[in-house]
Amino acid sequence: MLIDTPVRLGVQIQPQHVSYSGIRDAARRLEDLGVDILFNWDHFFPLFGAPDGEHFEAWTMLAAWAEQTERVEFGSLVNCNSYRNADLQADMARTIDHISAKGGEGRFIFGTGSGWFERDYDEYGYEFGTAGSRLDALAEGLGRIESRWGVLNPAPTRRIPVMIGGAGEKKTLRLVARHADIWHSFVAPEDVSHKVDVIKRHAEREERDLSNLTISNELRDRDEATADALHAQGTRLFTLGLLGPEWDYELVKRWLAWRDGKNA
């Protein structure tokens, strides 16, 4: 968790208020620019702007990206555990992993969380429950997913990285300690070290080695000084939300230059 690894930039293509042809073009352009990871999000309606605007489903899109792209890793930031049976999630992840492999290892990252957008639940017929019940369901689901990966034929091409989003100390960070390869949050730089200490304490109880855990954080509406501070606290994956149809590629280039400066 504290080893010095290269900085990576992930761009979240927000799948709202844009045609799919625009999303496809953005994925191609971003890979060509040199971003490390492409993300979408797992919702059924726009999160802002016109509430009934154009929007596309996450997992079918990820399968298309698996075929379209050649180099980038990709996944959802983040999948909602509530929307699909846990064993099905494992099987879909394994299949997308294989689609993306193209003669080598797959490039899929399994980003997941407990869910929060109540409209998704109400309109698609899922029980919303409480924040606690959804986190409990995520804990149960992650165990099933990892077990299913162990028996699928064919197996995944690699140990699929698990990314967990959130910063709640009692439940979410314990799940990070138990399952995650990547911890993603929006916490301020001055809060990272405390949250990492919480994860470490959970990891001791879980008897899990977290020496390779990657710390991830968001760049949107932040400046280089904040990014520098996050980097100083051990953050090595930086994500940037990008909204179409007028994708701000100049902003992406700015953060790619910052990444390359850190890795020089």
Side-chain angles (χ1 to χ4, degrees):
M1 182 157 50
L2 300 178
I3 61 173
D4 195 21
T5 57
V7 173
R8 293 190 295 163
L9 178 66
V11 174
Q12 184 186 54
I13 299 175
Q14 297 172 355
Q16 61 175 6
H17 307 309
V18 64
S19 67
Y20 189 74
S21 63
I23 292 173
R24 181 190 300 113
D25 291 346
R28 182 180 64 249
R29 178 78 178 272
L30 291 165
E31 182 172 44
D32 290 345
L33 283 176
V35 304
D36 300 291
I37 306 171
L38 295 180
F39 292 110
N40 61 15
W41 66 37
D42 187 21
H43 296 287
F44 305 132
F45 300 96
L47 296 187
F48 52 87
D52 293 316
E54 295 170 296
H55 196 278
F56 292 94
E57 192 277 328
W59 279 84
T60 45
M61 185 186 302
L62 293 173
W65 288 0
E67 194 64 71
Q68 174 187 343
T69 60
E70 299 292 334
R71 176 190 57 80
V72 289
E73 291 187 292
F74 61 96
S76 277
L77 186 62
V78 288
N79 166 70
C80 177
N81 177 71
S82 305
Y83 301 159
R84 302 161 194 90
N85 170 281
D87 293 271
L88 174 62
Q89 293 178 56
D91 206 339
M92 293 193 306
R94 181 279 310 257
T95 299
I96 291 174
D97 166 72
H98 276 265
I99 294 169
S100 69
K102 301 182 180 181
E105 288 190 340
R107 295 173 285 117
F108 179 69
I109 294 172
F110 183 68
T112 194
S114 59
W116 61 273
F117 191 39
E118 190 168 1
R119 184 184 179 190
D120 286 346
Y121 287 80
D122 292 344
E123 295 219 21
Y124 277 58
Y126 299 108
E127 181 181 351
F128 189 57
T130 66
S133 68
R134 294 192 301 276
L135 279 166
D136 290 342
L138 176 61
E140 192 263 343
L142 281 164
R144 287 172 56 189
I145 287 163
E146 291 174 347
S147 294
R148 181 60 56 185
W149 280 338
V151 299
L152 286 170
N153 184 16
T157 67
R158 65 172 181 169
R159 185 183 181 279
I160 296 175
V162 173
M163 179 182 200
I164 296 177
E169 296 183 8
K170 183 177 179 180
K171 290 188 175 182
T172 301
L173 296 186
R174 183 170 185 177
L175 292 178
V176 170
R178 184 181 299 166
H179 298 283
D181 302 285
I182 305 168
W183 167 54
H184 180 75
S185 77
F186 295 81
V187 302
E190 59 269 23
D191 296 325
V192 171
S193 61
H194 168 70
K195 298 293 185 181
V196 169
D197 285 342
V198 173
I199 295 170
K200 286 179 177 178
R201 291 196 296 271
H202 284 309
E204 290 174 1
R205 288 189 287 269
E206 298 288 338
E207 299 183 343
R208 182 169 179 231
D209 176 15
L210 289 183
S211 59
N212 292 319
L213 180 70
T214 297
I215 300 171
S216 172
N217 209 304
E218 170 66 23
L219 288 172
R220 190 166 182 83
D221 298 326
R222 285 171 159 173
D223 59 14
E224 283 84 353
T226 304
D228 287 343
L230 287 166
H231 182 270
Q233 293 298 317
T235 305
R236 291 298 180 267
L237 173 57
F238 293 83
T239 65
L240 178 66
L242 206 63
L243 176 66
E246 300 301 325
W247 312 99
D248 191 349
Y249 294 115
E250 292 306 312
L251 179 62
V252 175
K253 291 176 183 177
R254 172 185 142 196
W255 284 114
L256 285 169
W258 179 86
R259 176 202 68 183
D260 293 344
K262 289 296 183 185
N263 290 336

